[in-house]
Amino acid sequence: MVLEQLIAITEKEKKARKEICIRCCMAAGCMSSRGAEIKESIEKAVSEKGLQNRIEVRRVGCMGSCGQGPMVGIEPAGLLYQHVTPENAASIVEGLSGGSAEAELGDPKHPFFSRQKLIVCANSGRIDPERIEDSIEAGGYLTLQHVVSELQPSQVIDAVLKSGLRGRGGAGYPTGLKWGTVAKSPGTRKFVVCNGDEGDPGAFMDRSVLESDPHRVLEGMAIAGYAVGADQAFIYVRAEYPLAVSRLQTAIRQAKHHGLLGNGIFESTFNFNVELRIGAGAFVCGEETALMASIEGRRGQPHPRPPFPAESGLWGFPTLINNVETYANIVPIVKKGPDWFASLGTEKSKGTKVFSLTGKVRNNGLIEVPIGITIREIVEDLGGGAPDGAKVKAVQTGGPSGGCIPVEHFDTPVDYESLVGLGSIMGSGGMVVMDEHTNMVDVARFYMQFCMEESCGKCIPCRAGTVQMYELLTKIVERRGTRNDLEQLEELCDLVKHTSLCGLGQTAPNPVLSTLRYFRNEYLELLNKEVQESGSSGVQEQKT
Amino acid sequence: MKVIKPPLPSEDKRWKIVDAKMRRLGYAGHALIETLHTVQESFGYLDKEALSFIARALRVPPSRVYGVATFYNFFSLKPQGVHTCVVCLGTACYVKGASQVLAAIELYSGIKSGETTSDKQLSLLTARCIGACAIGPAVVYDGIVAGHRTPDNAVEKLEGVIGDGA
Ligand SMILES: Cc1cc2nc3c(=O)[nH]c(=O)nc-3n(C[C@H](O)[C@H](O)[C@H](O)COP(=O)(O)O)c2cc1C
Ligand code: SF4
Ligand code: FES
């Protein structure tokens, strides 16, 4: 492939475009509500009316408002239909040819859409993720071409560094610094790894990106490979995401076929091969050292760092590991320049962040917002508050490693530092809204059970501590707990946090600590009053 | 030294698929998890014969094969029922009432999560988020996701799924 061919494909695609485009969401959410049938019935209606020359029916990825799905969009009219069914889908075509559509109209001007800033998700819901030509028409692989033919690896790293991009997998480590370390580490081989394990239960940003725009991630990885000097990459995707896996397989095959991956990319000396690895249902494999053990075909158990993967990763070679969303940011950064990217966000956290907004909130779905937006704006303006007149009580960010932020702090801007200040973390982007009916101690117990079951068992504080903490929480939830139990719980939190080997154990107490910090009353109310006063347990049994 | 490849365990064509996977990855030790995936996809679960065959073919100790197969939740060492029903218990589904959905299904089927009915018709499983959070509570019936489940419509759908296959 050379530049001219890339341009030729773009021209050909542009010519083939029709007057009207009906976009049918075929990402996992809408697919599960008969998205494929909807597309078929629209296609049938188009051909029955003989409108094939005017109307294109396109499979697209996620449009964001998954909770209102299945979604169908009409371009250029800018219409959005929601809760579409295969039965009323045909009437959408009717609506385009003078009749009236029966399907429910959505509001594309709603803050849910208008407050978003799309960088990572710019092509999501617009292009067909199973056609590389669609990606190319949207500018795909042009940046890679520019990078391999005109930039030095160090220039690419400088751009990423200057952009201020920080890792989107949770910890927020500056991406450019990591790339620089891998580039400098001596090694006869180097690897690039994309972390698509997305273990936070309640988050689906990476799934959506992979299902909606896989080429964006592949191109970002290839640019990373060029920058750090790696010729082999792995994408690790969890097995729970079969559609993302199959779309990635398709994308990798197409990119290889067009010479956009493989050897001698754009007639340069740059080789880059990507292999897919499927996870097997272990949360800890999202942790980078465990993930690499898993790629090597071993049990996914973390090992102590240092050495960091950047120095000694896969099979002992320097390895760059970044999250899906991190890679998806690379193309726009290189294309539009680091200054443009750095102009978005806050002083220390640049760009946008994709969140999956779920739980007790009216508008469930995927949103991409500038970093620095307040929690209130997200939950109330975009999310529309809690359904059924209930009051929102808190929002959970960061999953099992994060915490619950109460409504008093909703005016805090969302960035890495301020969320840590509140006892939570930015995490990978899960945002679960809780309302007045949610029992916070139960939520803490829910996460502790998760960590207990997902602990890999390598180190004792985490393996044994999570079990103890879970039992104490259960006792409290079942109103059998005493003040002593609460004290012991707090001590254990401290111990497990400071003595565990990997991030799983180190952060497992966070949901407990943050609910204790903001909702201590809920714990106290659950304590067994009688036992509490007499100071010994077993009183309850005697009572009956 | 010429490496001797162990013979396939049986004539069953599915072993050819498994062998093709290992060949593509050069019979290397790191192909282990990918190979286990292929066996589980083809046969539905991993039995002892499969594990020891893989150990020989990839030249890794049987203890490591067993260790890996039991470490990851996705692998099953027991045969599954004709139908599977996976209830998501991820956070988003949980706060919207997934545990009531699970309880209703357990009551209906008479089995607990992780079990298979005695007539081998149904296996009931739970998951940690399948990425359908926005339409939770989510349940996966025979690989197909259904969103917005309530205890009632979850059981109703299950009846349909089991009925269809019988
Ligand atoms: C228990 C645990 C689970 C993790 N899960 C994920 C995950 O699902 N996805 C992810 O990208 N990073 C996850 N991480 C963070 C990774 O270890 C790593 O920091 C990240 O992939 C680096 O990429 P980034 O710099 O682009 O964020 C997890 C860390 C821990 C400790
Ligand atoms: S902290 Fe937990 S998950 Fe991490 S290594 Fe120790 S036991 Fe394993
Ligand atoms: S929490 Fe159930 S699909 Fe994510």
Side-chain angles (χ1 to χ4, degrees):
Chain A
M1 173 79 73
V2 292
L3 181 59
E4 284 69 33
Q5 285 167 300
L6 216 49
I7 294 171
I9 292 177
T10 310
E11 294 297 318
K12 191 164 156 233
E13 283 296 306
K14 287 223 158 78
K15 274 214 193 87
R17 290 291 172 235
K18 297 171 191 168
E19 201 181 316
I20 296 174
C21 176
I22 303 184
R23 299 178 286 133
C24 300
C25 175
M26 292 182 76
C30 293
M31 282 284 265
S32 73
S33 324
R34 305 164 76 194
E37 278 175 67
I38 290 169
K39 178 163 176 273
E40 272 165 33
S41 82
I42 291 179
E43 275 167 344
K44 196 159 142 253
V46 168
S47 68
E48 272 171 12
K49 294 207 169 297
L51 293 169
Q52 300 95 312
N53 295 331
R54 280 185 60 208
I55 302 182
E56 175 195 352
V57 184
R58 192 187 300 176
R59 157 186 36 222
V60 296
C62 183
M63 302 189 199
S65 44
C66 318
Q68 322 291 341
M71 305 294 300
V72 172
I74 315 283
E75 249 28 86
L79 297 175
L80 209 52
Y81 290 99
Q82 58 194 25
H83 300 299
V84 179
T85 63
E87 290 74 35
N88 69 19
S91 76
I92 293 177
V93 182
E94 204 77 47
L96 288 173
S97 47
S100 67
E102 283 157 33
E104 182 185 330
L105 260 184
D107 175 14
K109 298 215 168 60
H110 189 280
F112 183 86
F113 298 105
S114 65
R115 298 295 289 278
Q116 296 198 39
K117 168 85 192 161
L118 303 182
I119 295 176
V120 168
C121 299
N123 296 335
S124 277
R126 316 216 138 257
I127 62 165
D128 181 342
E130 298 191 21
R131 287 187 73 237
I132 194 173
E133 294 83 0
D134 262 36
S135 294
I136 292 175
E137 191 203 336
Y141 293 101
L142 261 182
T143 314
L144 178 63
Q145 192 275 337
H146 168 69
V147 164
V148 300
S149 43
E150 281 157 62
L151 297 185
Q152 293 298 320
S154 62
Q155 290 174 294
V156 180
I157 295 176
D158 282 346
V160 176
L161 197 59
K162 236 177 110 194
S163 73
L165 175 67
R166 298 170 64 174
R168 300 294 192 234
Y173 189 80
T175 306
L177 280 183
K178 201 189 269 185
W179 288 26
T181 313
V182 179
K184 274 189 243 118
S185 293
T188 48
R189 278 202 88 173
K190 284 176 192 176
F191 292 101
V192 162
V193 173
C194 175
N195 188 342
D197 198 43
E198 191 156 67
D200 173 359
F204 55 96
M205 303 73 53
D206 296 347
R207 168 181 73 71
S208 195
V209 170
L210 293 172
E211 282 175 4
S212 307
D213 195 4
H215 289 288
R216 170 74 80 85
V217 180
L218 293 176
E219 190 180 357
M221 290 173 68
I223 294 172
Y226 179 78
V228 304
D231 62 358
Q232 174 70 49
F234 293 92
I235 304 192
Y236 190 92
V237 183
R238 61 204 296 256
E240 288 84 346
Y241 291 174
L243 187 62
V245 168
S246 90
R247 293 224 165 122
L248 263 176
Q249 275 163 341
T250 306
I252 293 171
R253 197 180 56 239
Q254 292 171 342
K256 266 193 197 149
H257 177 78
H258 283 81
L260 297 164
L261 290 177
N263 294 341
I265 295 171
F266 287 112
E267 304 195 319
S268 70
T269 53
F270 175 53
N271 306 333
F272 196 69
N273 287 290
V274 180
E275 271 190 52
L276 195 57
R277 284 288 180 273
I278 319 292
F283 171 66
V284 71
C285 285
E287 197 277 340
E288 52 193 25
T289 60
L291 186 142
M292 292 187 300
S294 188
I295 291 179
E296 292 174 12
R298 296 185 284 120
R299 295 161 63 110
Q301 287 186 311
H303 71 69
R305 301 171 304 174
F308 285 91
E311 287 148 0
S312 169
L314 279 176
W315 296 286
F317 295 107
T319 301
L320 173 71
I321 174 162
N322 276 129
N323 166 263
V324 169
E325 194 184 327
T326 312
Y327 286 119
N329 270 302
I330 298 303
V331 168
I333 287 175
V334 176
K335 192 187 220 160
K336 297 194 181 168
D339 296 328
W340 160 79
F341 190 82
S343 72
L344 299 159
T346 61
E347 197 199 330
K348 286 187 178 158
S349 311
K350 303 298 186 191
T352 58
K353 178 77 195 84
V354 184
F355 289 102
S356 55
L357 186 61
T358 59
K360 302 287 190 66
V361 60
R362 242 184 231 126
N363 306 318
N364 275 248
L366 199 78
I367 52 167
E368 181 175 2
V369 286
I371 295 182
I373 189 171
T374 65
I375 302 172
R376 190 178 306 284
E377 286 171 283
I378 293 182
V379 174
E380 289 175 7
D381 299 350
L382 283 86
D388 311 323
K391 272 217 275 310
V392 172
K393 175 151 100 180
V395 56
Q396 210 281 348
T397 66
S401 308
C404 295
I405 299 165
V407 88
E408 307 89 271
H409 290 290
F410 272 20
D411 290 316
T412 312
V414 174
D415 68 21
Y416 292 93
E417 278 73 25
S418 51
L419 292 191
V420 169
L422 292 177
S424 187
I425 57 166
M426 178 96 117
S428 56
M431 250 190 202
V432 185
V433 181
M434 325 230 155
D435 70 8
E436 54 197 325
H437 305 299
T438 319
N439 173 340
M440 301 313 274
V441 188
D442 194 50
V443 168
R445 183 175 73 139
F446 167 83
Y447 280 113
M448 194 51 73
Q449 181 180 16
F450 181 89
C451 291
M452 172 178 82
E453 286 168 8
E454 295 298 331
S455 165
C456 81
K458 181 164 175 164
C459 65
I460 294 165
C462 165
R463 183 179 66 215
T466 50
V467 177
Q468 294 304 321
M469 289 192 284
Y470 173 73
E471 281 173 2
L472 288 168
L473 285 163
T474 303
K475 227 174 140 185
I476 297 174
V477 168
E478 292 175 354
R479 296 178 180 274
R480 293 184 289 116
T482 63
R483 266 187 195 283
N484 263 343
D485 292 327
L486 196 56
E487 262 169 42
Q488 208 186 352
L489 179 65
E490 292 190 277
E491 270 171 37
L492 270 173
C493 281
D494 189 59
L495 182 90
V496 173
K497 188 178 171 131
H498 292 107
T499 56
S500 292
L501 191 156
C502 86
L504 194 156
Q506 288 159 8
T507 59
N510 285 357
V512 181
L513 289 171
S514 83
T515 46
L516 271 171
R517 173 164 164 192
Y518 298 116
F519 302 98
R520 201 176 183 89
N521 263 341
E522 294 195 22
Y523 282 83
L524 295 177
E525 274 163 27
L526 284 171
L527 290 186
N528 185 317
K529 296 279 163 10
E530 286 153 55
V531 180
Q532 201 176 308
E533 273 141 33
S534 73
S536 72
S537 55
V539 176
Q540 200 183 24
E541 280 85 341
Q542 283 164 20
K543 207 180 75 179
T544 49
Chain B
M1 192 185 82
K2 193 175 176 300
V3 179
I4 303 157
K5 238 179 66 183
L8 300 183
S10 73
E11 294 284 297
D12 195 326
K13 282 213 180 71
R14 288 174 290 185
W15 287 116
K16 296 228 166 71
I17 303 175
V18 175
D19 192 51
K21 182 71 167 197
M22 294 192 288
R23 189 175 339 115
R24 204 177 66 73
L25 294 167
Y27 296 100
H30 65 78
L32 177 55
I33 294 175
E34 291 291 302
T35 309
L36 292 175
H37 269 303
T38 311
V39 175
Q40 176 141 327
E41 232 167 71
S42 319
F43 293 88
Y45 72 110
L46 312 168
D47 64 8
K48 266 206 192 116
E49 190 189 23
L51 295 181
S52 66
F53 166 67
I54 295 169
R56 274 177 286 137
L58 300 179
R59 277 163 285 131
V60 293
S63 61
R64 196 177 124 199
V65 176
Y66 189 74
V68 166
T70 50
F71 180 84
Y72 294 97
N73 297 327
F74 202 76
F75 298 129
S76 163
L77 303 187
K78 284 192 299 233
Q80 299 288 303
V82 179
H83 300 283
T84 56
C85 173
V86 186
V87 181
C88 176
L89 289 185
T91 324
C93 293
Y94 186 79
V95 302
K96 287 198 213 153
S99 37
Q100 285 92 294
V101 171
L102 176 65
I105 292 179
E106 286 182 339
L107 190 70
Y108 167 77
S109 61
I111 50 171
K112 295 258 171 253
S113 128
E115 296 176 353
T116 301
T117 52
S118 52
D119 62 359
K120 302 271 180 286
Q121 278 298 303
L122 176 73
S123 289
L124 181 58
L125 303 158
T126 55
R128 303 286 195 201
C129 189
I130 50 162
C133 322
I135 53 168
V139 177
V140 194
Y141 301 94
D142 288 343
I144 297 171
V145 182
H148 304 297
R149 290 299 96 185
T150 61
D152 289 343
N153 74 16
V155 168
E156 203 176 299
K157 176 108 187 176
L158 182 60
E159 278 172 334
V161 168
I162 298 178
D164 275 359

